[in-house]
Amino acid sequence: MSTASLLSSLLASPHFLRRVLWLDAATGVATGLLQCAFADALAPLLGLPASLVLGSGVALGVFVLGIAWIATRKTIPAGAVWLLIGANALWVLGCLGLLASSLVAPTLLGVAFLVSQALTVGVLAELEWMGVRKLYPAPAW
């Protein structure tokens, strides 16, 4: 089965968006817990301030609560998903902004961490966009 036909098949599921939301929440929980539990150990490895590692881990925890709230609604609220997509886009821009700034000097592992965060969150935002557009198609004007 080709990637396109697999994605088409997954998109056809009425549960696609809810599954993507739970995937977003799961990745956020995993990353946030690691960052909170090991901020001091990760900071020198990543070349990022411990306060940034810890603060973004805490932010992920709060973010995950919002995603879980959206995912547990009987009817997924489109507006909340659009806000989530926007927040994910800001997270991507934040990661890329850190790479472009002189505020931090990430190590090679830190660069890989920020790039992987940007890519993962970007893909999740794209999947959420695809899911919300399928669930709530634009009206034909």
Side-chain angles (χ1 to χ4, degrees):
M1 180 179 269
S2 73
T3 304
S5 62
L6 176 62
L7 185 57
S8 178
S9 172
L10 290 172
L11 255 173
S13 168
H15 306 291
F16 177 79
L17 180 56
R18 195 174 307 274
R19 288 178 180 149
V20 172
L21 291 169
W22 283 119
L23 177 62
D24 195 350
T27 59
V29 164
T31 306
L33 284 176
L34 285 172
Q35 287 179 222
C36 288
F38 302 107
D40 290 332
L42 286 171
L45 293 173
L46 300 175
L48 300 172
S51 59
L52 177 65
V53 175
L54 179 61
S56 61
V58 171
L60 280 169
V62 173
F63 195 66
V64 165
L65 291 174
I67 298 169
W69 180 86
I70 296 168
T72 56
R73 302 303 92 194
K74 184 174 181 169
T75 301
I76 295 175
V81 177
W82 285 114
L83 283 173
L84 171 60
I85 292 167
N88 278 339
L90 289 175
W91 192 271
V92 169
L93 291 174
C95 289
L96 297 177
L98 278 174
L99 287 172
S101 79
S102 59
L103 297 175
V104 296
T107 63
L108 186 57
L109 185 60
V111 170
F113 176 75
L114 291 169
V115 168
S116 67
Q117 284 239 332
L119 287 173
T120 302
V121 173
V123 167
L124 287 166
E126 175 71 17
L127 292 171
E128 289 159 353
W129 180 83
M130 292 166 71
V132 77
R133 295 277 305 180
K134 181 190 175 299
L135 210 53
Y136 303 101
W141 298 91

